[in-house]
Amino acid sequence: MQIPYLDLKRINACHNLSGRLSAVLESGWYLKGKEILQFEQAFATYCHTQYCAGVGSGLDALTLILLACKEMGLVKDGNEVIIPSLTFVATIEAVLRAGLTPRLCEVNPQTCTMDADEAERLVNRRTRLLLPVQLYGCDIDRRLLDVAETHGLEVVVDAAQAHGLKHHPQVLADAYSFYPAKNLGALGDGGAVTTDNGQLDRIVRCLANYGSEEKYTHRLRGLNSRLDELQAAVLSSKLNTLDQDNRRRNHLAQRYLKEIEWQRLELDTIHPDSCVYHVFPVFTDRRDPLKDHLKNRGIETLLHYPLPVHRQEAYRSRFAEVSLPLTEQICRTELSLPIGPYLSDEEASYIIRQVNAF
């Protein structure tokens, strides 16, 4: 049996995408049309927010939120943003592009998301924002919201892996990626900003359109970051089955949790209260032999992530003094098992048998 880590062709085959794409092509309207408007309204409703702005990528979504925060006077150049180092590099890149200073935080071993106690320890007079990541599809530590309230901080969530978790009313904005491999994935790059703050939504839209709200009139220095009509049509179609897909992911995760022989194999995994299982990670000191064992039996796995941000060459000099032992241990031991919503119970059983055989 051959099981790729993720089979996008099988995911897309569940939707009549060719019909949706043909309709957009025949319309002759490819940007800022009815498809994007319909998707933004539907996704805002789905996320329980008032506003949704489609943008070009998840990185752009985060960057635009932080730039909007500067325009609103919530932060200024050099202010500190507390973020985890266990994340994709887009999280830290957005902070740096916005002219802000990242402070790297340790994670909670139960969820691999930013730890509230560790975050509070890093708060100082320069701190203005908490930027937790819903890694693997796990919800943020709710205690972060208490930390933010105590210290007068704003909270922005990197929700790039968490399509299906609902917006926390205390959160200023959520940043989504629609990279094809996400729980809600486009056929290319795309992203969105969801929020209940009308001012932030208006500024994000202005910044994403070259700083313009009126054609050829530019109020702000912006960038070009738009979700196009084709991608919006694809996302609208897939949004209809997102809850169903996430329930299937949860079913597969529960089978892994019940049927893999964790203790005998000296494996561990996350223990979240709320998760949409974008990734199902296992942790073992024998990660590489397990990966090879599964590969030899036709099962592809991935690593999320082999290096934390503070050990990446691009950022190593900036964080030379940073030590995050738990984050570094997770990166040494994490292995992601296939958990695509199309996986059959037979395929899941095969994966479980081969892990247990190891």
Side-chain angles (χ1 to χ4, degrees), residues 23-162:
V24 175
L25 291 173
E26 291 171 7
S27 75
W29 196 284
Y30 308 124
L31 286 172
K32 301 180 72 173
K34 67 175 184 179
E35 293 288 351
I36 182 64
L37 181 61
Q38 290 173 359
F39 173 71
E40 288 176 338
Q41 292 172 342
F43 196 59
T45 299
Y46 180 84
C47 295
H48 296 179
T49 59
Q50 293 187 53
Y51 307 100
C52 168
V55 299
S57 69
L59 170 58
D60 284 356
L62 274 176
T63 304
L64 287 162
I65 291 170
L66 298 176
L67 291 174
C69 286
K70 291 175 73 173
E71 293 293 333
M72 295 166 66
L74 299 175
V75 296
K76 60 183 180 180
D77 285 346
N79 281 164
E80 293 186 357
V81 180
I82 298 175
I83 67 171
S85 185
L86 185 61
T87 184
F88 185 60
V89 295
T91 314
I92 189 171
E93 191 61 34
V95 175
L96 295 172
R97 288 187 178 195
L100 303 173
T101 301
R103 288 291 304 277
L104 299 185
C105 184
E106 192 61 280
V107 295
N108 184 316
Q110 297 299 306
T111 62
C112 295
T113 62
M114 193 159 77
D115 185 87
D117 294 331
E118 293 295 322
E120 187 162 34
R121 208 170 45 77
L122 295 174
V123 174
N124 60 56
R125 60 184 178 81
R126 296 181 298 278
T127 309
R128 294 293 180 272
L129 281 168
L130 301 180
L131 206 173
V133 178
Q134 290 171 319
L135 193 73
Y136 307 145
C138 296
D139 205 355
I140 64 171
D141 186 337
R142 304 292 180 89
R143 295 177 302 143
L144 286 168
L145 303 174
D146 297 329
V147 172
E149 184 177 3
T150 298
H151 297 279
L153 308 175
E154 298 289 350
V155 180
V156 171
V157 173
D158 182 337
Q161 298 186 7

Side-chain angles (χ1 to χ4, degrees), residues 46-289:
Y46 180 84
C47 295
H48 296 179
T49 59
Q50 293 187 53
Y51 307 100
C52 168
V55 299
S57 69
L59 170 58
D60 284 356
L62 274 176
T63 304
L64 287 162
I65 291 170
L66 298 176
L67 291 174
C69 286
K70 291 175 73 173
E71 293 293 333
M72 295 166 66
L74 299 175
V75 296
K76 60 183 180 180
D77 285 346
N79 281 164
E80 293 186 357
V81 180
I82 298 175
I83 67 171
S85 185
L86 185 61
T87 184
F88 185 60
V89 295
T91 314
I92 189 171
E93 191 61 34
V95 175
L96 295 172
R97 288 187 178 195
L100 303 173
T101 301
R103 288 291 304 277
L104 299 185
C105 184
E106 192 61 280
V107 295
N108 184 316
Q110 297 299 306
T111 62
C112 295
T113 62
M114 193 159 77
D115 185 87
D117 294 331
E118 293 295 322
E120 187 162 34
R121 208 170 45 77
L122 295 174
V123 174
N124 60 56
R125 60 184 178 81
R126 296 181 298 278
T127 309
R128 294 293 180 272
L129 281 168
L130 301 180
L131 206 173
V133 178
Q134 290 171 319
L135 193 73
Y136 307 145
C138 296
D139 205 355
I140 64 171
D141 186 337
R142 304 292 180 89
R143 295 177 302 143
L144 286 168
L145 303 174
D146 297 329
V147 172
E149 184 177 3
T150 298
H151 297 279
L153 308 175
E154 298 289 350
V155 180
V156 171
V157 173
D158 182 337
Q161 298 186 7
H163 312 78
L165 294 181
K166 300 302 184 280
H167 171 77
H168 296 287
Q170 304 97 311
V171 168
L172 178 63
D174 303 283
Y176 286 92
S177 165
F178 299 128
Y179 182 75
K182 304 298 186 183
N183 288 30
L184 180 62
L187 298 185
D189 281 316
V193 173
T194 59
T195 183
D196 286 325
N197 189 298
Q199 182 184 12
L200 184 137
D201 177 72
R202 182 175 62 82
I203 295 173
V204 163
R205 291 176 184 278
C206 179
L207 288 168
N209 188 38
Y210 298 99
S212 172
E213 294 175 308
E214 180 183 350
K215 195 168 185 178
Y216 302 134
T217 301
H218 302 271
R219 184 171 66 86
L220 302 172
R221 289 185 58 196
L223 56 149
N224 175 20
S225 181
R226 292 177 290 212
L227 187 66
D228 64 61
E229 291 283 284
L230 289 166
Q231 302 300 347
V234 168
L235 293 167
S236 290
S237 177
K238 290 187 172 185
L239 184 59
N240 292 325
T241 64
L242 179 56
D243 284 342
Q244 174 185 321
D245 290 347
N246 284 342
R247 284 193 295 270
R248 181 62 186 173
R249 288 175 181 272
N250 185 68
H251 168 77
L252 294 167
Q254 296 310 312
R255 286 203 60 192
Y256 289 158
L257 290 168
K258 291 174 183 175
E259 298 176 42
I260 290 174
E261 298 177 12
W262 298 94
Q263 187 171 3
R264 185 174 70 84
L265 295 171
E266 298 179 351
L267 296 176
D268 198 4
T269 191
I270 54 174
H271 303 282
D273 292 326
S274 180
C275 189
V276 291
Y277 290 103
H278 173 63
V279 169
F280 188 92
V282 301
F283 309 100
T284 173
D285 290 333
R286 296 187 291 163
R287 190 259 310 275
D288 292 341

Side-chain angles (χ1 to χ4, degrees), residues 86 282-288 303 305-308 324-335:
L86 185 61
V282 301
F283 309 100
T284 173
D285 290 333
R286 296 187 291 163
R287 190 259 310 275
D288 292 341
L303 308 181
Y305 294 97
L307 283 176
L324 298 170
L326 178 56
T327 292
E328 292 162 17
Q329 178 187 359
I330 289 169
C331 289
R332 286 195 304 270
T333 60
E334 192 276 341
L335 184 69

